Amino acid sequence: MTTPDSLPRRRLLRAGALAGAGVGIGAGAGALGARALDERAAPEPEEVLHGQGVIPFHGPHQAGIETPAPAHATFLGLDLREETDRDGVLRLLRVLTADAARLTGGHAPLADTEPELAAVPARLTVTAGFGPGLLARAGRETPPWLAPLPAFPIDALDPAYCDGDLMLQVAADDPLALAHAVRMLLKGARSSMRLRWLQQGFRRAHGAVPSGTTMRNLFGQVDGTANPRPGTEPFARTVWIEDGPFAGGTSMVIRRIRMDVDGWDELDRSGREESLGRRLADGSPLTGTAEHDEPDFSATSAHGFPVIGEFTHVRRARGVDAADGGQSIFRRSYNYDLAPDPAAGGISESGQVFVSFQADPLAQFVPIQQRLAELDLMNEWTTPIGSAVFAIPPGAAQGEFLGQSVLE
Amino acid sequence: MTTPDSLPRRRLLRAGALAGAGVGIGAGAGALGARALDERAAPEPEEVLHGQGVIPFHGPHQAGIETPAPAHATFLGLDLREETDRDGVLRLLRVLTADAARLTGGHAPLADTEPELAAVPARLTVTAGFGPGLLARAGRETPPWLAPLPAFPIDALDPAYCDGDLMLQVAADDPLALAHAVRMLLKGARSSMRLRWLQQGFRRAHGAVPSGTTMRNLFGQVDGTANPRPGTEPFARTVWIEDGPFAGGTSMVIRRIRMDVDGWDELDRSGREESLGRRLADGSPLTGTAEHDEPDFSATSAHGFPVIGEFTHVRRARGVDAADGGQSIFRRSYNYDLAPDPAAGGISESGQVFVSFQADPLAQFVPIQQRLAELDLMNEWTTPIGSAVFAIPPGAAQGEFLGQSVLE
């Protein structure tokens, strides 16, 4: 079935493909990594393993934002213990940075008693964000936009999923690698912080569909088409803060949105497409034929009605009818699907951990959300139940800790 | 980077590798499947996609037992509604069988309003098991072993995770495919059944580590080494029932085992290995050098103590000291890792959905569990909190429904 000389070439091609997607093969992966790499050549040479994929931790921006979203993510909201002072905050961030750098590289942190679980990083990233409480404790000014979002009439917020002093976004293509990394990070943080909330989510498994495929949510919708493409100028303009202590950083809006999948199920396909303004099959706008076609909001039917209705999600999100339109955000959301409460009688407890990155949440996220909250047919089946905003510091260079430029 | 003629060959090789592992490429995958297959040849030809992997649904045994365990599984415990009579049970099983056959083949069930989510089966399997309540309702005799397990002194069972009339094990390498399949099956069942419990679990992602690697649990232990190998005579002898209405079927024991990861964390590595009787690095017994070496229970140290202690998990599980030893079961467990309750102060809510298949749970599972319940150092950190036994009917041939040989 195989010729020996064809295999190294194939493996090389694959390594090239990974590198092209911003993934290096853990060059300095040490003893454990080297053993795992050896195994790739061993009994089943047809296998192409992605568990050794490493996303560089250090750099001008934090990983986990421009990085193609891996299959699994856990978001942690933490609060500083009352006794943690400014020095304690800095100490905590040094520990978290060291642990995150090791874990994302496929190395066990020093205090890791299950180092075997760290040997398969599977594109692990750890991204930290600060709430106002952390900046205050460290004696630093809070950016004007770093505050809870204005209340929206559609919100039914549960404080158990809101706010926090520190946010950690931990993501990987392997759920075991992710579980272990989350535990190690919580272990490193627990003496100075308390867990406030933890949210888990998923997308398609690595390698299940072509990379770059826009995700689908649990309503079956193609979700995220309007995103600026990572690596482009519009992405940089949308996401990165240019000046001030957070230059090279960004802001994260994280909202837990319950989706009434059981109710949505009662709607037929044309009703769904008319609520959304896009086709379910391929995400194309009702005025186009392909996912990335620009919606034509001026197109009308033979009867003179707009093809993409006034109250569709896609029109309200774009805001093209309003003078204040044209805002851009970068969404990087995850689905959640939990055990429903049998006593409640439903068959789903589903939704989305909505995540967006933008340089300024007040100028970019809030106007979009206000338009959607005012009027969007999708509000019938979606309810925001959690909400928080975090300031994402820039990336750390080798030897720096996350947030050093902000806090020191 | 690639030569056009090298690609079809590589793809062919990969297809061969999948077929060798018991996975066919959904030959009759219809329009949606065909489109997805086309996409494989499109923009990134280096990619090898596993989302189209199909496990055959029909056959002498149900899929999902001998099948290599995919990355994600959801286990459903359902109760018949009071008004569901024998005809209702048969109708239900016909609907579930038809839906499962379509979903596992990558086709949307007839009532599916998000057919796009069914197009990536990712080795989806659906395995059904019957509780005593279903057999009684259908007017059929209950096998003597089909009953709650005897109470073990280590148990702290929560009825919310026990028993049930019907069990569905739904598993796939893609979490979105899995979420969709679970919803479709619950939708098909809801008029005649009520959800009793739902348990979710995970293993390594597809392609993260070499296939055939024994799983690790959240204690970091290699878990399942003693399993008979699928496809061998010892596997068949351990698992399949030979005679009677369930011939070609098996029994499933499913136990939810909470693992005190925080407490385990306080134990050093030698303490852990001495509790288990195996090394953490590679799962080798303390008397051997490789995972699959037979433990030598007679080996003693220079001081005359057994190398594998009397109370180690591996010795108690084997039961080699007792005349009743030598029982065999086939374990196919999944890890769970949920959001801990912040008020409780811990940083983990972890464990295992322990699953074992064996021809006779009373003769095979119970003696092992009794030995472990009596004395096993691992009991210090593990607590069974859910328990159920189900009778797994044989597989359905084309045109048959699951359980037909048992119920008709």
Side-chain angles (χ1 to χ4, degrees), chain B residues 75-383:
Chain B
F75 301 86
L76 306 170
L78 297 147
D79 284 335
L80 290 164
R81 293 185 188 275
E82 278 169 33
E83 63 273 24
T84 307
D85 58 9
R86 175 179 154 84
D87 282 353
V89 170
L90 301 187
R91 222 171 16 247
L92 164 78
L93 288 168
R94 279 194 200 96
V95 169
L96 284 179
T97 302
D99 288 356
R102 291 191 62 83
L103 284 164
T104 55
H107 308 276
L110 299 182
D112 194 342
T113 43
E114 292 92 31
E116 293 83 8
L117 296 183
V120 179
R123 301 205 304 133
L124 179 73
T125 56
V126 178
T127 315
F130 300 159
L134 185 141
L135 290 171
R137 199 73 66 90
R140 286 295 173 270
E141 215 174 314
T142 298
W145 47 262
L146 184 58
L149 296 173
F152 300 105
I154 51 170
D155 289 356
L157 302 184
D158 178 347
Y161 289 119
C162 292
D163 307 328
D165 293 334
L166 177 72
M167 184 288 307
L168 294 177
Q169 171 193 272
V170 195
D173 276 324
D174 178 69
L176 189 60
L178 177 59
H180 178 69
V182 166
R183 202 166 83 75
M184 285 302 107
L185 294 166
L186 283 175
K187 202 170 143 180
R190 73 186 301 181
S191 63
S192 48
M193 304 208 80
R194 220 187 310 269
L195 182 64
R196 183 181 175 94
W197 48 256
L198 183 154
Q199 305 188 51
Q200 298 170 321
F202 61 85
R203 293 169 158 242
R204 286 280 188 207
H206 179 99
V209 296
S211 67
T213 303
T214 311
M215 78 175 274
R216 284 191 187 266
N217 63 32
L218 289 166
F219 284 164
Q221 300 165 337
V222 175
D223 190 337
T225 301
N227 263 348
R229 274 252 300 281
T232 64
E233 192 281 327
F235 178 93
R237 187 160 25 95
T238 298
V239 170
W240 303 126
I241 295 172
E242 287 192 2
D243 305 306
F246 281 94
T250 182
S251 77
M252 174 201 248
V253 170
I254 174 168
R255 285 168 70 81
R256 189 171 185 85
I257 301 177
R258 178 176 286 155
M259 291 161 56
D260 176 13
V261 180
D262 296 0
W264 176 252
D265 213 33
E266 291 161 16
L267 195 65
D268 65 16
R269 273 178 84 85
S270 66
R272 293 168 177 213
E273 293 182 339
E274 282 162 21
S275 299
L276 186 61
R278 290 188 181 278
R279 291 192 189 83
L280 292 164
D282 55 9
S284 62
L286 296 182
T287 55
T289 59
E291 182 194 342
H292 291 282
D293 286 353
E294 267 303 298
D296 177 359
F297 295 112
S298 63
T300 52
S301 70
H303 303 289
F305 293 107
V307 177
I308 298 178
E310 300 291 344
F311 310 148
T312 54
H313 182 76
V314 66
R315 190 190 283 258
R316 297 298 297 171
R318 291 290 182 101
V320 288
D321 301 328
D324 61 357
Q327 297 89 3
S328 173
I329 58 175
F330 178 70
R331 283 173 286 160
R332 200 170 182 276
S333 303
Y334 280 81
N335 303 307
Y336 74 82
D337 185 52
L338 302 172
D341 175 7
I347 59 169
S348 67
E349 177 58 48
S350 308
Q352 183 170 88
V353 185
F354 170 94
V355 172
S356 74
F357 296 102
Q358 54 281 306
D360 182 342
L362 297 180
Q364 295 170 268
F365 175 83
V366 169
I368 297 173
Q369 182 62 70
Q370 265 163 348
R371 283 196 301 273
L372 294 175
E374 272 165 27
L375 207 53
D376 169 12
L377 288 169
M378 292 303 298
N379 291 342
E380 182 79 19
W381 302 278
T382 57
T383 309

Side-chain angles (χ1 to χ4, degrees), chain A residues 218-307:
Chain A
L218 289 165
F219 283 165
Q221 299 164 340
V222 175
D223 191 337
T225 301
N227 263 349
R229 275 251 300 280
T232 64
E233 192 281 328
F235 178 93
R237 187 161 23 96
T238 298
V239 170
W240 305 124
I241 296 172
E242 287 193 1
D243 305 308
F246 282 95
T250 182
S251 77
M252 175 201 248
V253 170
I254 174 168
R255 285 167 71 80
R256 190 172 183 85
I257 300 176
R258 178 176 285 155
M259 291 161 55
D260 176 13
V261 179
D262 296 1
W264 175 253
D265 213 33
E266 291 161 14
L267 195 65
D268 65 15
R269 274 179 82 84
S270 66
R272 293 168 176 215
E273 293 181 339
E274 282 161 22
S275 299
L276 186 62
R278 291 189 180 275
R279 290 192 189 84
L280 293 165
D282 55 9
S284 62
L286 297 182
T287 55
T289 57
E291 183 194 342
H292 290 282
D293 287 353
E294 265 304 296
D296 177 359
F297 295 112
S298 63
T300 51
S301 70
H303 303 289
F305 293 107
V307 176

Side-chain angles (χ1 to χ4, degrees), chain A residues 57 95-105 109 124-127 185 402:
Chain A
F57 176 76
V95 169
L96 284 179
T97 301
D99 288 355
R102 289 191 64 83
L103 284 164
T104 56
L124 179 72
T125 57
V126 178
T127 315
L185 294 166
L402 285 170

Side-chain angles (χ1 to χ4, degrees), chain A residues 107-176:
Chain A
H107 308 276
L110 299 181
D112 194 342
T113 43
E114 292 91 31
E116 293 82 8
L117 296 183
V120 180
R123 299 206 307 134
L124 179 72
T125 57
V126 178
T127 315
F130 300 159
L134 185 142
L135 290 171
R137 198 73 66 90
R140 287 295 173 269
E141 214 173 318
T142 299
W145 47 262
L146 184 57
L149 296 172
F152 299 104
I154 51 171
D155 289 356
L157 301 184
D158 177 347
Y161 289 119
C162 292
D163 308 327
D165 293 334
L166 178 71
M167 183 287 307
L168 295 177
Q169 172 193 273
V170 195
D173 276 325
D174 178 68
L176 189 59

Side-chain angles (χ1 to χ4, degrees), chain A residues 2-152:
Chain A
T2 63
T3 57
D5 62 334
S6 74
L7 291 171
R9 178 168 158 72
R10 271 175 53 226
R11 231 172 280 129
L12 200 63
L13 288 171
R14 179 60 178 177
L18 283 167
V23 179
I25 298 293
L32 286 165
R35 175 149 39 81
L37 284 169
D38 283 345
E39 284 171 357
R40 300 174 66 191
E44 294 216 25
E46 299 86 356
E47 284 191 307
V48 176
L49 303 177
H50 64 81
Q52 294 305 315
V54 167
I55 305 287
F57 176 76
H58 297 99
H61 308 300
Q62 286 194 64
I65 300 166
E66 204 157 9
T67 314
H72 302 278
T74 297
F75 301 86
L76 307 169
L78 298 147
D79 285 336
L80 289 164
R81 294 186 188 274
E82 277 169 33
E83 62 274 24
T84 307
D85 59 8
R86 176 180 154 84
D87 281 352
V89 171
L90 300 187
R91 223 172 14 247
L92 164 77
L93 288 168
R94 280 195 201 95
V95 169
L96 284 179
T97 301
D99 288 355
R102 289 191 64 83
L103 284 164
T104 56
H107 308 276
L110 299 181
D112 194 342
T113 43
E114 292 91 31
E116 293 82 8
L117 296 183
V120 180
R123 299 206 307 134
L124 179 72
T125 57
V126 178
T127 315
F130 300 159
L134 185 142
L135 290 171
R137 198 73 66 90
R140 287 295 173 269
E141 214 173 318
T142 299
W145 47 262
L146 184 57
L149 296 172
F152 299 104

